[in-house]
């Protein structure tokens, strides 16, 4: 079940005089917008005082939108509980790692562990479901908004402490089991009962890493439970309508695969320029792409959330111009609001929804652009959205994205584990995943992202499992049966799920798969790098490995960098872009994958019978027509800065 | 009412054996000092235990000083409440933004919102007024000391919360009005009553900008109320004596214009080397002027505080040598203690008072130089002060500074607003004001600083209103009637007073004055700059403006940088020094202002019939005699490093 | 009383199955290990619940170790109180400077000021002493572990406040005396009673420096009292066995001389690579020595702790491979685990004990290498330790280190004082000491470190007292009677013990010793340096001195840098390495000290009849045979990277 590519927009009827609604809805239709999200921050208007439910205005706004052909996505307003709610539940406010209770006055001021607020969340969800489920304009639901935004996944409150202790009791059964699993004999950290376990903040020095990791797992489970409560209510009324949540970029405080177990569609909020500005990418990348965003970041998340969403995904919020939340908020290059949308559709998006219809002149986001200016005149993205809507029709693009030939495993446990224990400052799971992603993508190769619950790699030619914390049973099964090329390391399989070094050391595979033991780690300062023979350098992380495998690459000191045993490759180090490209190129050659020759800054993705090219650079480029293409349906071989070209793929056979 | 230029010194009789007082007073007289400030940190000696008033020593010290011809400025001791006061009012201690109650053991440990301490402040002021008002040596009063120093304007205490709620209730009348004015429909921030409003600290993410701004306004009002209470008491006894407060450099946490409504004279504490060291000026400036201070910073504050003081101002504390409070505390160039004093007099100072007489060998400021060393031998500034006293007599300089032909509006609300919402990290109101100030001053042009309550610009040739948050009624009136050249922008008039974008967008002027709308802001990283055709670059801030005005300058991308409509100019960007100089030069040429040709590092100011040149550079320079000068009364055309030259101006007509 | 050089290891029997103990002990014996430290983190196994003492396993482990010829050092487990202890004494947890109570879950979670916990500490110590004192394998005791690690010397708790007030009452007798001594008339800081004094945290601005210093003194005294309680118990049972504590690198939060008044042997934990990584050494040094550690740092601490230990000292923990606690944790160069041990023995170590026997696969230190890997295979340091054990026998090295001809005073009060009042950011007592240390050592000169309680410098040719806060009576006496060359300054003697400027100003010596007064300090930014005539530069700190001494060196501005009066030299500034080398070279020439010509990166130390050379560089070097040597017993003139050469010294006379 999926839908044809369509545009959407985020709208806040409560922000504008009711007499404006009609014209707004009409103009949205003129742009070609089909989906309108409303409601997700409007609790104080839905329930101005406790129990005083006021949804007539919501219904009237849905009437108006429906009249102009729009489908409405209604957001539950639980990310912004009204002020009176805090009077009712003063301890619903989260406590930060310094022990300070956070206050009311912005948003997301609730603690996922606070069970009475979870009941309030269910209550308002039920009220919306009861009141709006039958509205003909209703097109789906959004749960809450950007779970975890502003660092709100973790709370160090009494509620969290109580929940964590119960979660641990349930996970480990007895305190003796927990002490054994955690290795609490170290530093006399043994507990006599679950009631003695504290949260891992305000300690003298580092907590036991499994203590820190289990707290993250617990906190992630609370997000999933919070979402499930809303999902169950919403689905009970209208099983046919999708329940969606809008995730974020490079946000990993909870396990998105787990939360999405109670979602029909994953969506995410794509602000390419803001994301690059707040990222830890190097300054030269930030400068080069300051008006475009990192050319691989949006694509990576498109592929990630396609998997998170079980194949179905949207952009719920698409940047239309400057944002307000980074240190610097540049104007996008003209054309980017179109490019970003096209790239999303190429990766399989069902809907790309711009945030927001009209720039608000008041409150926190008054410097955040919309499709309209605060004075209701069109902002630049208005015309770009209109163009996208027309081009979607013109191109006829549709259908599913096909399974790729290359896949990479992305794992939230691994993100947490290496944050807890970097050993080399800056060593990150996600960075390794994205480095490999970018290296393959440079050749125009489509990529799938896989979860650690993947039981089979059948159909893939190459699969990478970089920097994996601990093997899951499913991945062990997938590896054992895989007939393609497998790229592991560094650090893959170096821990058990309880954050110990496995008995046979990392990568902890059967010797008949990979006979290798990581004897020692050499973590080196960020200003040092070791050249690799043939090109590239290792940096941050180097492993000394005892192995009977073949040495494919080694560094200038003679330390093996890439080891192979049959079709299993193990990378012992983290590397610069040149090294990661060499690794990818080596595997592409081994696996005999077809490649495209792309100009610098140009990226591509195929969907259905089309291949979409986007030019992230600030200069025009010339495409090399590929053998499997039969001409262009949008644009041409000359692709301007921030331009889009769509080629039609020749039918094979 | 003003007084002839004179020297002063800060003295702490309580720090020294009483038998030293006589000799100290005599030596002060030898130096040529006329004003001696005492008392401002001596509460524990005035009232060693609650109610036990001991002022005899004060009177004896005033006797001794008066005997040697000195006028005494008595400071109220409220910046240093004794320890027993904290036992009496434990909640008088301020609470920081992290929620921590601050402790006793330094100074300024009181909360402006704490009303019982305000009564204590009035009580001790009344006691001093009663006991000392009739003393023949009394020359005036100082209220408290450096309001707000060490970040003490803001407190997040229960007292502040209570005061803030009442202030809001008074300002907005009803909670509905506040919700409307603040735009609290955004993120469901609507309140049901004033008692629900919290202070804007410890939030999950940014507060509503008007919430943050109103808290600053409220806090500023408490400082003004605190000062007024002392002022009313002091004036009641001796309406003829000036009540003064000593302000600081680049300190903007409260509105100085408001506080000065109950002051007769403004003063400020000038530590040029320390100020530069703790400023955010670039490293090359810090290195070049590390022994002199920024060559435009003291002058700017002289002009600012002249306006704050309704035309009357002093230096209450003048740096005499190394200080103790910056990361690095270099020795001044020989001569700077003289130069700084001369520059102050040139800008209209009535008194320049050195801090302090003798370096204290104990406690927090033991590394802070005085006119005397701790062993009572003269420190280098001793001789420099003596020289100044003699030169003041020799030159005969006196009289008022005349109204300048160029003026710039400096506004505390704007400082706060752009701190709350920089949009481009580092965008500051004050930086824009000072950039324009320096660019005009480079040509020897005298400048006035104006408050946002200025109703008329009559008499000025050029007025700049840079980065103004919101129009006041007075400034609108002044702009409408102004016949000179007006320089606005960037960001000028871009908000309403309630921190919303105005309906006609910034700069929000009648189209017949300036037909321009800021459609969009392009805020760019600090490491990026965009060249402007003809020279200079824009940086940090760029606006895309829809206008029917004339484009005077544009950047390499064709974006207008300087727009004009008649004599109103709008600058769309922040720029480097070269661009700001071009803007000033352009206006100087348009307005046909007379200019001086000054060597690098040399600055000048006229007062009465004299023009004072000061050389901030570490090298000597040669002055170009100006046509309106009739010879030198101090120094000559060859001006040494850290030197001073005073020229006599020819009588015109 | 000392012992022949021997190896040791840190072992945690509680971490491993009991059936592994026998094989572990046997392999330790094969390596040549004689001392095994156990027990110091095992409280939860010694007393799993309150009062339930379980030491049978300890005794069994000592039986096994003793059977294989090992001597056991038993650590008291007080650095890791079990979780139940926190239930018993919730307020035993320290409070940080922000007022947050720290939590259980790592280690060192106790407050030195908490008297009930001090009783618990004495109780478990008594239990261990009673149970284990007669065990034949017992070789000594370690008190606690790394006092103060993770910043745990200071606590801002009610217990600390109460203790501090009592300590002050005892030190000053009356509140009037304290007010006078502290100079509390400044800023009205006068107290009416000791109960009004607060801890110097959470203040508005800096506390009175003597307030801050006295709090450090008080806190240091609590560490000493804590140690004394354990020492007295342990010595009562077995006066013949040494009581040892393991100190750290560049750790100065308490006075180690004071704590060692109740120790028989000082030891320290040497992690050269980690120490360099977390130090503030410049990046080029960090890069050059990232796999070796700073070439002078370990040696400095060897010499320091030799003095702290009254001539007896050990390495209790020696780095064997990568550690886990720096931002980056590089692998040592092959050979360093041998080199570090040899260097320690050369400086007089009795025992070098590697940390740890086997790498733990669980908990906080799982990434910290041991002599064995987690899979019990030998790690690289295993073979290096074996080699050291064999070479110790082969060389026959033994005996005491002789008194050096050069000495430097290192003083904890001075460390604290300049942290409290740097005046130039980064000015540090220890940095000056180490700079002088390195400059003398570059010529192969042995150096002693002296405490500020040293009453005589007899026997030394050159003594340096750099950056001394305040003269002690003992040092005044030593200076007055010294006939060798004395190097003072900068800042030496610039304060009284109550943190005031002395009446005759620094350096505060009788004019017939040194007629000099520091009139003024010029503290300059770290990016500025002033060239000294003849070579080198001054940086950070410059004093302007009034003197009748001879000017030996002056800077390009004509400011005296090195002043002399007879054999007393006063250095007025802090300098770069080149200047410090010139100063040392000058004094070496004056004192006619014999020198060695050492290749870059090579360091040396003599012990008994041997001279040990170690090569810290990553390249081989060739030694110049010295006239007093009679051949090599280990290695030769060609010394490889990370190599060791031991020369036999010819008997003189």
């Amino acid at each position: 079940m999926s839908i044809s590519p369509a545009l959407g927009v985020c709208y806040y009827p409560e922000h504008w005089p009711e007499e404006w609604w009609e014209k707004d809805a009409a103009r949205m239709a003129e742009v070609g917008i089909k989906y309108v999200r409303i409601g997700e921050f409007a609790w104080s208007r839905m329930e101005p005082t406790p129990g005083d439910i006021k949804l007539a205005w919501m219904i009237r706004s849905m009437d108006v939108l429906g009249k102009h052909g729009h489908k409405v996505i209604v957001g539950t307003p639980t990310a912004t509980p009204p002020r009176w709610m805090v009077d009712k539940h003063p301890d619903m406010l989260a406590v930060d790692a310094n022990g300070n209770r956070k206050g009311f006055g912005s948003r997301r001021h609730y603690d996922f562990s606070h069970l009475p607020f979870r009941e309030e969340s269910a209550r308002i969800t039920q009220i919306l479901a009861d009141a709006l489920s039958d509205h003909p304009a209703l097109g789906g639901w959004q749960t809450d908004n950007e779970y975890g935004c502003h660092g709100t996944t973790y709370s160090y409150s009494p509620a969290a402490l109580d929940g964590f202790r119960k979660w641990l009791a349930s996970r480990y059964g007895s305190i003796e089991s927990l002490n054994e699993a955690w290795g609490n004999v170290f530093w006399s950290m043994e507990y006599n009962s679950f009631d003695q376990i504290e949260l891992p903040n305000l300690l003298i020095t580092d907590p036991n890493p499994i203590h820190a990791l289990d707290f993250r797992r617990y906190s992630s489970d609370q997000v999933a439970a919070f979402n499930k409560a809303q999902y169950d209510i919403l689905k009970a009324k209208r099983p046919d309508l999708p329940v969606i949540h809008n995730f974020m970029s490079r946000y990993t405080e909870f396990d998105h695969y787990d939360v999405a177990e109670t979602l029909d569609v994953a969506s995410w909020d794509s602000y390419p320029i803001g994301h690059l500005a707040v990222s830890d990418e190097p300054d030269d990348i930030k400068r080069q792409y300051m008006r475009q965003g990192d050319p691989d970041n949006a694509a990576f998340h498109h592929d990630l959330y396609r998997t998170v969403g079980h194949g179905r995904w949207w952009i719920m919020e698409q940047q239309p111009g400057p944002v307000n939340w980074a240190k610097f908020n540049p104007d996008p290059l003209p054309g980017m609001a179109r490019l970003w949308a096209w790239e999303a559709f190429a990766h399989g998006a069902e809907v790309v929804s711009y945030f927001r219809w009209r720039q608000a002149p008041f409150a926190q986001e008054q410097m955040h652009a919309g499709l309209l200016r605060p004075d209701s005149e069109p902002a630049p993205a208005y015309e770009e959205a209109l163009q996208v809507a027309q081009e979607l029709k013109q191109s006829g693009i549709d259908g599913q994205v096909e399974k790729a030939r290359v896949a990479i495993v992305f794992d939230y446990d691994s993100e947490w584990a290496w944050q807890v224990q970097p050993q080399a400052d800056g060593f990150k799971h996600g960075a390794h995943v994205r480095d490999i992603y970018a290296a393959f993508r440079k050749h125009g190769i489509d990529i799938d992202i896989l979860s650690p619950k993947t039981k089979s790699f059948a159909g893939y030619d190459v699969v990478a499992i970089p920097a994996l914390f601990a093997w899951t049973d499913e991945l062990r099964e997938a590896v054992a049966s895989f007939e393609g090329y497998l790229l592991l390391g560094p650090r893959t399989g170096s821990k058990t799920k309880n954050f110990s070094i496995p008995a046979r050391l990392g990568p902890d595979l059967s010797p008949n798969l990979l006979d290798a033991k990581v004897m020692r780690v050499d973590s080196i300062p960020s200003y040092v790098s070791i050249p690799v023979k043939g090109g590239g350098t290792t940096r941050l992380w180097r492993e000394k490995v005892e192995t009977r495998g073949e040495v494919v690459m080694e560094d200038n000191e003679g330390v093996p960098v890439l080891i192979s045993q049959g079709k299993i490759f193990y990378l012992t180090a983290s590397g610069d872009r040149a090294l990661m490209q060499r690794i990818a190129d080596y595997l592409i050659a081994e696996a005999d994958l077809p490649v495209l020759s792309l100009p610098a800054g140009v990226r591509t993705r195929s969907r259905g019978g089309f291949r979409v090219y986007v030019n992230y650079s600030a200069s025009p480029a010339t495409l090399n027509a590929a053998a499997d293409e039969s001409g262009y349906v949008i644009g041409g071989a000359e692709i301007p800065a921030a331009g889009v070209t769509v080629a039609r793929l020749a039918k094979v056979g």
Side-chain angles (χ1 to χ4, degrees), chain A:
Chain A
M1 179 174 77
S2 79
I3 60 176
S4 291
L7 291 184
V9 79
C10 302
Y11 186 57
Y12 299 92
E14 71 274 23
H15 290 182
W16 314 111
E18 186 158 347
E19 57 268 29
W20 293 16
W21 296 357
E22 183 86 31
K23 183 170 181 195
D24 281 339
R27 289 175 90 187
M28 290 173 195
E30 284 166 28
V31 173
I33 282 166
K34 296 215 174 127
Y35 288 86
V36 183
R37 184 190 67 172
I38 68 169
E40 87 278 11
F41 296 128
W43 198 334
S44 72
R45 291 293 166 99
M46 297 171 178
E47 190 177 9
T49 56
D52 178 25
I53 301 300
K54 297 235 188 291
L55 294 179
W57 67 270
M58 282 279 287
I59 292 165
R60 291 198 304 277
S61 74
M62 291 173 75
D63 292 347
V64 171
L65 290 164
K67 175 178 152 196
H68 289 271
H70 303 300
K71 282 291 173 191
V72 179
I73 304 301
V74 173
T76 64
T78 46
T80 53
R83 178 60 182 80
W84 56 256
M85 183 73 77
V86 179
D87 284 338
K88 205 168 160 191
H89 305 289
D91 55 356
M92 66 170 276
L93 298 167
V95 173
D96 68 19
N98 290 317
N100 288 319
R101 182 77 71 178
K102 309 302 279 190
F104 178 91
S106 59
R107 62 175 179 176
R108 300 212 54 73
H109 41 277
Y110 70 84
D111 187 336
F112 280 106
S113 290
H114 191 266
L115 301 182
F117 179 68
R118 270 201 224 166
E119 285 169 29
E120 298 280 359
S121 153
R123 182 181 61 82
I124 193 70
T125 301
Q126 187 68 59
I127 287 165
L128 290 179
D130 290 346
L132 307 178
S133 281
D134 296 334
H135 197 287
L138 186 67
W141 302 96
Q142 176 186 294
T143 54
D144 202 84
N145 185 75
E146 293 180 345
Y147 286 138
C149 189
H150 317 300
T152 51
T153 299
Y154 305 124
S155 173
Y156 299 87
S157 62
L161 177 61
D162 185 57
F164 184 46
R165 287 171 174 173
K166 289 185 172 120
W167 183 92
L168 288 171
S170 165
R171 183 179 182 91
Y172 291 99
S174 72
I175 197 65
E176 293 75 20
S177 298
L178 178 139
N179 283 329
E180 172 69 21
W182 283 20
N184 279 339
V185 62
F186 194 83
W187 290 355
S188 283
M189 293 183 296
E190 291 167 305
Y191 300 100
N192 308 109
S193 75
F194 285 103
D195 285 346
Q196 288 179 332
I197 300 175
E198 309 284 353
L199 298 176
N201 63 318
L202 285 173
L203 302 191
I204 298 291
T205 182
D206 295 332
N208 191 330
I210 180 63
H211 185 179
L213 182 63
D214 270 356
F215 179 63
R216 293 181 184 229
R217 286 167 170 161
Y218 159 76
S219 300
S220 179
D221 284 359
Q222 305 322 299
V223 181
F226 188 95
N227 188 71
K228 181 175 190 300
Q230 295 199 1
Y231 179 84
D232 289 347
I233 292 164
L234 297 168
K235 292 303 279 189
K237 282 275 176 183
R238 286 289 299 269
D240 59 314
L241 289 182
V243 176
I244 312 175
H245 179 75
N246 55 331
F247 297 110
M248 295 184 289
S249 173
R250 297 197 186 182
Y251 182 83
T252 60
E253 288 187 359
F254 59 83
D255 189 314
H256 292 45
Y257 303 119
D258 285 352
V259 170
E261 286 184 13
T262 52
L263 289 177
D264 302 304
V265 173
S267 77
W268 75 290
D269 296 347
S270 180
Y271 295 93
I273 290 174
H275 297 326
L276 178 59
V278 302
S279 77
D280 54 4
E281 295 296 332
D283 274 358
D284 62 323
I285 296 292
K286 288 193 177 180
R287 185 191 302 255
Q288 186 174 0
Y289 292 110
M290 74 177 207
R291 300 190 184 285
Q292 303 105 298
D294 181 287
D296 295 309
N297 192 63
F300 169 77
H301 287 85
H302 299 337
D303 293 336
L304 169 63
Y305 289 120
R306 194 174 60 245
T307 296
V308 168
H310 325 288
R312 294 192 62 190
W313 73 278
W314 296 19
I315 297 284
M316 190 61 86
E317 301 182 9
Q318 174 62 60
Q319 176 168 8
V323 299
N324 64 301
W325 41 265
K327 275 188 166 186
F328 302 99
N329 300 290
D331 205 6
L333 283 188
M336 289 309 298
R338 169 183 170 239
L339 181 155
W340 294 322
W342 261 109
E343 187 176 46
F345 289 126
H347 285 258
E350 298 178 354
V351 174
V352 172
S353 170
Y354 289 96
F355 182 87
R356 49 190 276 164
W357 174 243
R358 183 188 290 102
Q359 183 174 349
F362 46 73
Q364 279 92 331
E365 292 182 350
Q366 60 185 260
M367 297 302 282
H368 192 300
L371 294 184
L372 299 185
R373 303 180 342 199
D375 63 353
S376 298
E377 293 299 309
Y382 185 96
E383 296 298 331
E384 297 188 22
L386 180 61
Q387 182 179 356
V388 171
Q390 292 168 340
E391 289 172 339
L392 283 177
K393 276 191 217 160
Q394 172 192 340
S395 68
I397 195 167
D398 203 347
Q400 302 280 10
V401 295
E402 289 171 24
K403 185 165 188 163
R405 294 178 63 175
V406 171
I408 311 175
V409 174
F410 182 80
D411 172 44
Y412 292 89
D413 247 30
S414 300
E415 277 284 317
W416 307 335
W418 307 146
Q419 286 166 7
V420 165
Q421 186 188 82
Q423 182 67 6
D425 187 51
F427 182 97
K428 294 177 182 172
H429 169 70
H432 288 271
V433 169
R434 289 191 299 269
D435 283 353
I436 292 169
Y437 181 89
F440 279 96
R441 193 166 179 252
K442 198 184 167 204
H443 297 295
I445 292 172
D446 293 344
I447 300 155
D448 287 344
I449 302 297
L450 303 180
S451 96
K453 297 276 181 62
T454 306
K455 286 184 187 173
S456 167
F457 298 150
Y460 292 110
D461 294 299
V462 177
V463 174
I465 312 177
L468 181 81
F469 167 61
W471 291 107
T472 57
D473 292 344
E474 294 86 348
L475 283 179
R476 283 197 183 276
E477 186 181 330
V479 164
S481 65
F482 187 41
E483 297 184 351
Y485 290 85
L486 192 66
L487 176 64
L488 310 175
R491 221 170 174 173
T492 297
S494 62
K495 305 288 173 184
T496 69
K497 71 180 186 344
N498 289 330
F499 220 130
S500 289
I501 297 172
R504 58 185 170 188
L505 309 184
D508 190 25
L509 285 177
S510 160
N512 64 346
L513 286 172
L514 180 59
D515 189 347
K517 289 184 182 183
V518 176
M519 299 182 295
R520 173 160 289 197
V521 169
D522 178 36
S523 90
I524 57 180
S526 51
Y527 46 77
V528 171
S529 59
I530 315 283
V532 175
K533 290 174 185 166
T537 67
T538 60
R539 49 185 299 280
L540 290 184
W541 193 270
R542 293 170 83 208
E543 291 166 358
K544 310 283 176 72
V545 178
E546 191 176 65
T547 183
R548 286 193 240 165
E550 185 190 343
V551 176
V552 182
M553 296 181 192
E554 67 179 16
D555 68 23
N556 279 1
E557 296 179 358
V559 174
V561 170
L562 187 66
I563 293 163
S564 72
Q565 181 168 325
K567 286 175 152 181
I568 299 185
F569 290 75
Y570 186 81
L571 175 63
T572 69
S574 51
D576 64 359
R577 289 182 180 228
L579 179 62
M580 298 315 291
Q581 195 63 56
R582 281 185 66 203
I583 306 284
D585 292 355
Y586 188 92
L587 290 167
I588 289 167
E590 289 287 305
D592 201 23
L593 293 176
V595 299
L596 296 175
S597 171
L598 296 175
V602 173
R603 299 291 187 276
T604 187
R605 223 299 171 183
S606 299
R607 174 178 179 169
F610 300 90
R611 176 175 291 133
V612 178
Y613 293 94
V614 293
N615 183 7
Y616 267 91
S617 87
S619 312
T622 303
L623 301 174
N624 305 297
D628 61 350
E629 295 171 0
S630 62
Y632 300 115
V633 295
I634 302 283
E638 300 304 314
I639 183 168
V644 176
T645 289
V646 181
R648 187 184 301 278
L649 295 177
K651 300 282 182 189
V652 180

